[in-house]
C-alpha cells in the first residue's frame, strides 16, 4: 500500500519513535515537582522547548506545547483577541484557512465580534494588498496560513506581516503544513503548528506568542505552560515532537528537491493522460509534496475507493466525499472544479517507483468511474433546439455536470442550456466546467425548485 496522504498526517519519523520510547522511561514524572524524577522530567521538557524554539526561530519562553494544533489555533486566536479587546473586535482571516481558524472566526462573530474574510485568486493565494485593505482601526488580529493544506499553495506571509506591522496589528500564522520544511518568513506575532504534520506523534501542538503581543489566555488556566495550555504535559509526545521537528528540518532541503521532482511528474502526466482534468494550486509557489487535481464527470468518493483498491491512500477536497455534502471551502474560494478532486501528498522518502505506478493506475481508475456514471464521450450530435432544459434536481455531483456535458452539443453555437439543480456543488462546478470547456456561463436564476444555471454554447 502506498500512503499518499501526508498532508493529513505524516508517518511517524524514526527519530520520533526513538525519542518517544526513550522518554516513556525517563519522562513519566510531573515536571513541576522538585524531587529527582520531577527534575529529570523538567530537564526533558526544557530541552524539547529549546529545540523546538530553535527550529521555529523564537525564544524558548515564547513557545508553549498544547494538546493539538487545533487547540493551539483556538487558544492563540481567543487569547490575542481578548488581549486586544480595547482596540476593537475585528478579525481578519483568509477564505482558505484551515477549519480550526474558520471555526474560531465563527465563534468570535457569534459572540458579537466582526470578521472580514479575504478572498483568494484562482491559484489559492491571497493578494497582500487585500489584507492591507481589510485592516481597520478596530482590527484586533489577522490570521494567515503559511501554506494551504488542500492545494499546497504558499501564502505571502512576509508581505502580509509587514502590512500588519505597519498597522500595529498582530498576525497569527497557522504553520502546520510548512513548519517541517522551513521557518516562517516575516515579522509574524503568533504561530501555531501540529506535530503529526511533520512526522511527530499526534496529540502535540505548539503555540508561539512573541514578546510584546498583548495576550490573555481564555478559559480555566493553571500554572503549566505559562498559563497558556492547562493540564498535565504529554512529555513523551512533546520530546518526540521536538526531536522529529529538528530531524525533518535537517533533511528538508535535500528531500524537498526530490519531492518537487515527483510532484512535477504527477502534474505533467495527469494533465497528459487523463482527459478533462484541472490541476489546481500554484505551479511554483507551493509545498514540495502536494499536488491536487480535479476530474470532470467523476464522483470523488468512488474514485478514492478505486484508488484504495489499487493500493493508494489519497484524500479529496471534493464535495462528494462521504464526510461532507458541501464543496470544499478551499476549492470554492478558488473557483475551481470541486468534483472528482484528488489530493496527493507525498511523505518524505516516497519511492519514485510508487509514483510511477500511481500514474499508470490513475487513468484507468478515472475511466472506470466515468463509465459507471455514464459520463459523455466525444461524439457527433444533431442540433435540435436553441434552448434545452436539464432537470438534475435531486441528483448529487457530478451528475448535473455530466448531464450538461451530454446535451451541450445538441444546441447550436449561441444556443443555451438551462440546468436545474438543488445541489450546492453545482454553483461551483458548472462555472468551472464552462471555463474548462470554453463555454459561457451566463448566470444563475431562482427556480421553482432549486436553482437554474444558464450556459451558452460558444464552441
Amino acid at each position: 500500500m502506498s500512503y499518499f496522504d501526508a498532508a493529513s498526517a505524516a508517518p511517524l519519523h524514526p527519530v520520533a519513535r526513538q525519542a518517544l520510547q526513550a522518554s516513556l522511561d525517563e519522562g513519566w514524572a510531573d515536571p513541576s515537582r522538585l524531587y529527582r524524577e520531577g527534575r529529570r522530567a523538567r530537564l526533558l521538557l526544557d530541552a524539547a522547548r529549546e529545540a523546538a524554539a530553535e527550529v521555529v526561530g523564537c525564544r524558548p519562553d515564547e513557545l508553549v506545547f498544547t494538546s493539538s494544533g487545533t487547540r493551539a489555533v483556538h487558544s492563540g486566536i481567543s487569547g490575542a483577541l481578548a488581549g486586544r479587546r480595547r482596540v476593537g473586535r475585528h478579525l481578519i482571516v483568509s477564505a482558505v484557512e484551515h477549519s480550526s481558524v474558520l471555526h474560531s472566526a465563527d465563534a468570535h462573530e457569534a459572540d458579537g465580534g466582526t470578521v472580514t474574510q479575504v478572498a483568494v485568486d484562482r491559484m489559492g493565494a491571497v493578494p497582500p494588498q487585500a489584507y492591507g485593505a481589510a485592516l481597520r482601526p478596530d482590527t484586533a488580529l489577522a490570521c494567515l496560513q503559511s501554506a494551504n493544506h488542500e492545494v499546497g499553495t504558499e501564502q505571502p506571509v512576509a508581505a502580509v506581516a509587514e502590512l500588519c506591522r505597519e498597522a500595529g496589528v498582530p498576525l497569527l500564522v497557522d504553520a502546520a503544513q510548512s513548519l517541517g520544511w522551513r521557518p516562517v518568513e516575516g515579522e509574524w506575532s503568533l504561530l501555531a503548528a501540529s506535530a503529526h504534520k511533520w512526522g511527530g506523534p499526534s496529540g502535540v501542538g505548539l503555540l508561539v506568542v512573541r514578546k510584546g503581543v498583548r495576550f490573555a489566555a481564555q478559559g480555566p488556566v493553571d500554572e503549566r505552560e505559562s498559563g497558556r495550555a492547562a493540564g498535565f504535559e504529554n512529555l513523551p509526545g512533546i520530546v518526540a515532537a521536538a526531536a522529529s521537528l529538528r530531524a525533518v528540518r535537517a533533511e528538508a532541503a535535500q528531500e524537498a528537491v526530490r519531492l518537487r521532482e515527483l510532484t512535477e511528474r504527477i502534474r505533467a502526466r495527469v494533465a497528459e493522460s487523463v482527459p478533462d482534468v484541472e490541476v489546481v494550486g500554484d505551479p511554483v509557489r507551493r509545498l514540495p509534496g502536494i499536488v491536487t487535481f480535479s476530474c470532470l464527470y467523476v464522483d470523488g468518493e468512488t474514485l478514492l475507493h478505486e484508488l484504495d483498491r489499487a493500493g493508494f491512500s489519497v484524500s479529496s477536497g471534493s464535495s462528494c466525499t462521504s464526510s461532507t455534502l458541501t464543496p470544499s471551502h478551499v476549492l470554492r474560494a478558488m473557483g475551481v472544479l470541486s468534483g472528482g478532486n484528488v489530493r496527493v501528498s507525498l511523505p518524505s522518502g516516497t519511492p519514485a517507483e510508487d509514483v510511477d505506478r500511481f500514474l499508470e493506475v490513475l487513468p484507468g481508475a478515472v475511466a472506470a468511474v466515468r463509465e459507471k456514471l455514464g459520463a459523455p464521450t466525444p461524439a457527433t450530435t444533431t442540433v435540435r433546439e436553441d434552448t434545452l432544459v436539464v432537470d438534475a434536481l435531486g441528483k448529487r455531483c457530478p451528475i448535473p455536470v455530466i448531464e450538461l456535458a451530454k446535451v451541450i452539443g445538441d444546441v447550436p453555437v449561441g444556443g443555451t442550456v438551462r440546468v436545474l439543480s438543488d445541489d450546492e456543488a453545482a454553483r461551483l462546478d458548472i462555472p468551472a466546467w464552462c471555463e474548462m470547456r470554453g463555454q459561457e456561463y451566463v448566470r444563475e436564476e431562482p427556480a421553482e425548485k432549486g436553482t437554474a444555471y444558464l450556459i451558452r454554447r460558444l464552441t
Side-chain angles (χ1 to χ4, degrees):
M1 193 75 180
S2 297
Y3 181 75
F4 287 175
D5 195 21
S8 293
L12 195 65
H13 194 281
V15 168
R17 188 182 303 276
Q18 295 168 4
L20 186 63
Q21 291 174 340
S23 57
L24 285 171
D25 294 329
E26 297 294 325
W28 51 268
D30 187 342
S32 67
R33 300 308 178 191
L34 299 179
Y35 42 70
R36 181 184 306 166
E37 294 85 356
R39 294 197 304 272
R40 186 183 301 134
R42 170 57 62 179
L43 287 173
L44 288 173
L45 179 58
D46 290 345
R49 197 184 314 279
E50 290 175 6
E54 181 181 2
V55 175
V56 172
C58 67
R59 292 170 39 158
D61 59 351
E62 294 174 328
L63 185 150
V64 299
F65 294 103
T66 65
S67 59
S68 67
T70 294
R71 173 52 58 192
V73 166
H74 291 172
S75 299
I77 292 177
S78 64
L81 288 172
R84 286 175 49 81
R85 186 158 184 151
R86 290 185 179 180
V87 173
R89 304 200 64 199
H90 178 232
L91 171 67
I92 303 174
V93 300
S94 84
V96 294
E97 294 297 317
H98 187 268
S99 58
S100 60
V101 174
L102 299 182
H103 290 161
S104 289
D106 290 343
H108 176 62
E109 202 164 28
D111 191 41
T114 58
V115 177
T116 296
Q117 195 172 98
V118 179
V120 298
D121 61 24
R122 196 170 173 83
M123 296 294 105
V126 299
Q129 61 272 23
Y131 258 78
L135 290 166
R136 305 186 330 206
D138 64 336
T139 302
L141 178 68
C143 300
L144 180 63
Q145 58 188 195
S146 55
N148 187 258
H149 50 291
E150 286 193 28
V151 301
T153 296
E154 294 178 324
Q155 300 292 357
V157 172
V160 171
E162 177 60 22
L163 291 171
C164 290
R165 187 193 64 79
E166 292 173 355
V169 174
L171 175 69
L172 182 147
V173 178
D174 173 12
Q177 289 296 341
S178 71
L179 193 59
W181 293 108
R182 58 179 165 272
V184 177
E185 298 177 348
E187 296 186 34
W188 47 267
S189 303
L190 301 97
L191 181 143
S194 186
H196 74 279
K197 299 289 189 177
W198 65 67
S202 58
V204 180
L206 59 84
L207 171 64
V208 178
V209 181
R210 295 283 200 191
K211 292 295 181 183
V213 175
R214 292 186 177 275
F215 189 90
Q218 299 300 287
V221 299
D222 57 27
E223 73 282 0
R224 298 179 188 275
E225 294 301 293
S226 304
R228 293 175 182 168
F232 199 95
E233 295 92 345
N234 174 13
L235 190 52
I238 288 171
V239 171
S244 58
L245 179 57
R246 184 163 55 184
V248 298
R249 281 283 284 275
E251 305 161 354
Q254 183 174 354
E255 184 64 8
V257 173
R258 199 181 69 85
L259 289 186
R260 283 190 188 280
E261 192 280 326
L262 293 178
T263 53
E264 286 291 350
R265 189 181 308 179
I266 295 172
R267 290 176 68 90
R269 288 276 298 279
V270 165
E272 293 171 357
S273 62
V274 180
D276 297 316
V277 68
E278 182 179 18
V279 183
V280 301
D282 196 294
V284 178
R285 291 184 53 82
R286 70 173 192 275
L287 293 175
I290 297 180
V291 56
T292 305
F293 54 89
S294 299
C295 305
L296 274 174
Y297 321 130
V298 168
D299 175 351
E301 184 176 359
T302 304
L303 179 56
L304 262 59
H305 286 318
E306 287 286 336
L307 292 171
D308 183 48
R309 281 193 288 269
F312 297 97
S313 300
V314 299
S315 65
S316 173
S318 170
S319 59
C320 304
T321 55
S322 58
S323 61
T324 178
L325 295 177
T326 58
S328 152
H329 72 277
V330 172
L331 301 178
R332 183 172 63 242
M334 294 169 61
V336 298
L337 183 70
S338 68
N341 178 261
V342 174
R343 180 187 68 183
V344 175
S345 49
L346 306 177
S348 295
T350 298
E353 295 78 12
D354 286 4
V355 171
D356 290 335
R357 189 168 66 86
F358 173 78
L359 291 170
E360 292 174 2
V361 167
L362 179 66
V366 173
V369 174
R370 285 173 172 168
E371 184 177 3
K372 290 178 184 177
L373 293 172
T377 55
T380 301
T381 58
T382 302
V383 175
R384 296 192 301 271
E385 301 178 49
D386 289 340
T387 301
L388 286 177
V389 176
V390 173
D391 186 350
L393 294 169
K395 299 176 181 178
R396 288 181 56 197
C397 68
I399 299 303
V401 179
I402 288 176
E403 296 301 320
L404 166 61
K406 285 180 177 179
V407 303
I408 191 69
D410 292 353
V411 298
V413 173
T416 58
V417 177
R418 195 168 185 260
V419 181
L420 301 177
S421 177
D422 52 6
D423 182 5
E424 177 66 22
R427 180 167 282 110
L428 176 63
D429 288 357
I430 289 176
W433 178 88
C434 291
E435 181 162 334
M436 291 176 67
R437 301 306 297 268
Q439 310 299 346
E440 180 186 356
Y441 176 70
V442 181
R443 63 180 176 273
E444 67 174 72
E445 302 170 338
E448 184 177 348
K449 292 183 179 179
T451 303
Y453 302 91
L454 193 64
I455 298 92
R456 179 175 290 109
R457 182 184 175 190
L458 299 183
T459 61

